[in-house]
Amino acid sequence: MADDMQDFAAEARAFLDAHAPKAPDRTAPSWGEGDDSMAYFSSLPPEAEREHVQRARDWQRVRHEHGFGWITGPVEYGGRGLTPVHDLLYDAVESEYDVAHTGVLSVIGLGMIGPTILAHAQPHIKERWLPAMYRGDAIACQLFSEPGAGSDLASVATRAVREGDHWVLNGQKVWTSVAQHSQIGLALTRTNPDAPKHRGITAFLVPMDAPGVEVRPLRQMTGGADFNEVFLTDVRIPDDHRLGEVDGGWTVALTTLMNERATVGSEGVGPVAAALSPDHLSALMRATWTWDDRALRARLAELLVDALATRHLNTRALRMLRAGGTPGPEMSVSKLMYGQNLTRAAHFVSDVLGPRIIADTGQWGTYAWSELLLATPALRILGGTEEIMKNILAERVLGLPKEVRS
Amino acid sequence: MTADETGLRELRASVREFLEAKSPEEAVRKLMESEPRYDPAVWAQAADQLRLPGLVIPEEYGGDGFGLVELGVVLEEMGRALLCAPFFATVVLAAQALLASGDREACARHLPGIAAGRTTAALAVAEDSGSWDPALISARAVPDGEGAWRLTGRKSFVIDGTTADLLLVVARTVAGPSLFAVDRDASGLSAGPMETLDATRAMARLTFDAVPATLVGADGAAGRTMAKVLDVASVGLAAEQSGGARRCLEASAEHARTRHQFGRPIGSFQAVKHKCADMLVQVELAEAASREAARLADEGSAEFPVAAAVAHACCSRAYMFAAMENIQVHGGIGFTWEHPAHLYFRRAKSSQLLFGGPAVYLERLLDRLGI
Ligand SMILES: Cc1cc2nc3c(=O)[nH]c(=O)nc-3n(C[C@H](O)[C@H](O)[C@H](O)COP(=O)(O)OP(=O)(O)OC[C@H]3O[C@@H](n4cnc5c(N)ncnc54)[C@H](O)[C@@H]3O)c2cc1C
């Protein structure tokens, strides 16, 4: 590791030592101890959910005050001006500590919307929102999908009509994660119905407290409600909240989607990490007396081959970044594999547990897996379905002919 | 010594250029039906021009002292080209066994010849079961009373076993499995070619009838030696496999772009497109697994044994998958003798089972993980 990296890591460690306890080692055999949650999506009651979000904001603020809130961000907006490698290094160090989960802020807002605002917004909008977001004051959501526009995002139908120096938005968004906690959303709207689909879209930053914005929680199959329907009725947005050119919103969307792949593909942290931990899975097999089942052992090994190879893929992407290059198809492959690995892990474990995953016997670390099991279908859908990711790999990496599109 | 990225690119380019000239498909097809199953002139050029046999042999034994990262680059290229040569047996198996034995005298005696390309060598471990588990070995060695040994028994699946100048043989003594060196011309040794699924990789059955042999390393130490060799050899094999898998993917993508049916390139049909994408995913994982394992080996990392087992499993699966789907994407032409797809299919299946197959290597991964 280069000197400045070592200094940076030491600085991060000093900060964390002063502000957070060390995390219990989740990968070490600790069967039967502590929290056995395997929740990928939260399914907390509203009061607990609000507390959870507040803890996330508080931790983000502390991070930001000490220079670790936006490591790659430009200094003028409160960033640190360092490289993605510093960012990853910080994440690695932080994972050794027991800190609040900040996914509600970081996955979509800081991971996807922040970089898009930075790339496409006017300077005073950047000044208004970027520091607030990275300080934990503002949460952002992605208002892309609509009932009629999922994989085919260019079909968005939410209309934006110009009225002087304002735009008036009307339409419905759906599956909008964290909208219920958000202060702003990045919306794709149709501004030119006559242009070819991709050419008639404009992107806006929508203050979620603007009159006419209504967020309705959607209950998802895990039981909780992380995502929402968002109705936009005569919502007035000043023109300076536009990102990019009029009818040039597709370029803006691509910035977000590119960052989405990188964010979603990165390895899981928190409780779900146990799903791919060799020690945890072998402890589970011991606890359930399935230890010497040859068929299950072979499946465990297969699962670990994929999990460890995916980790190698991420390491290589990181090495490429560190050398100043851009990673190739690694991030898309990684995103695909991550969803599949967790899915396979959940089904492997359900075969180990048998009936113990269908009803709660009270035994530690058994029924808890049902939370992950129920979350896995989403991992093959969100951030671009498996099928769409394969189209992208085949067309962009292998140069196969484009699909016939209308 | 370690090459930087530019060095690795140059190494790859020169090996690829060499193989395109010396091991095109026609040459492979000709050699796989001839005896010996390689071209000694090409082998000599690989040694003289590219110094390939000595690449990973330490400098003190006349080699260039590079690591598994560089070896991986060479093996990926050889895997792409299906090169018929005694490289794998000599450099990846036998030389590594000598080094792993820790026997400096044996290394000094044999490695310089190997590094210079003068000596080819083979490693004889498996018997008729095909298992590489030293505990399952029944060939025996007894002291001849004059400091040497006499070896009796049978070995199978010995890569390049009919042509190698030097044979390294695992046999059982009172102390346990031990490693021995046997000369090609030793009395009591007979070797016959085995018919092989993958004709590009020659294999032999060896019979030992009180053959004079020299102990390599400590008596009874071959269990540990073989564990080390298997880690290195499976990473070498993984590189070869990922190179072959990448070649299959490229062939499929090329075909999918150019072959038309129903008035469109077949690659515009999603069933075909997704097959190719699935191959790409497997190939990317395989490359990452084998290259990271090589890197960890060269860094002397404690994570190497696990990474080696991951690479072995991941690349075996990826190659088999890519070789099968490659035929499917090609349709009927892919099933013809004339088309190279079957050569890769054969190599993929043969490599997948070379060191015992999935049941064995999956358990080895769990073992290396301490599970
Ligand atoms: C948990 C979760 C959180 C989400 N969060 C957000 C969010 O915050 N913001 C947001 O904007 N969106 C969000 N989404 C929406 C998500 O991006 C879409 O669900 C996804 O892109 C798929 O679109 P769709 O649901 O309309 O399915 P469809 O596009 O209708 O797809 C249905 C099926 O058809 C297949 N299909 C469609 N087109 C093709 C094609 N061309 N080739 C092959 N197969 C095809 C799909 O792969 C899928 O299997 C979220 C979704 C989930 C599950």
Side-chain angles (χ1 to χ4, degrees), chain B residues 190-219:
Chain B
S190 62
M194 293 174 87
E195 187 177 320
T196 51
L197 176 74
D198 167 19
T200 63
R201 183 124 62 201
M203 291 188 184
R205 168 171 286 166
L206 307 178
T207 314
F208 301 87
D209 184 7
V211 176
T214 315
L215 183 67
V216 175
D219 187 12

Side-chain angles (χ1 to χ4, degrees), chain A residues 41 108 141-147 149-153 174-178 220 227 260 378 381-388 391 403 405, chain B residues 270 274:
Chain A
F41 298 105
I108 293 173
C141 63
Q142 179 193 23
L143 298 162
F144 282 15
S145 302
E146 295 180 5
S151 300
D152 184 12
L153 204 49
V174 75
W175 304 306
T176 318
S177 305
V178 306
Q220 60 206 25
F227 59 20
E260 178 164 47
I381 297 171
L382 57 81
T385 64
E386 255 173 38
E387 290 75 16
I388 295 296
N391 287 351
E403 273 194 89
R405 295 199 175 101
Chain B
Q270 210 167 62
H274 284 191

Side-chain angles (χ1 to χ4, degrees), chain A residues 15-32:
Chain A
F15 157 64
L16 286 158
D17 280 336
H19 291 89
K22 278 272 185 184
D25 187 356
R26 285 279 307 197
T27 56
S30 57
W31 192 255

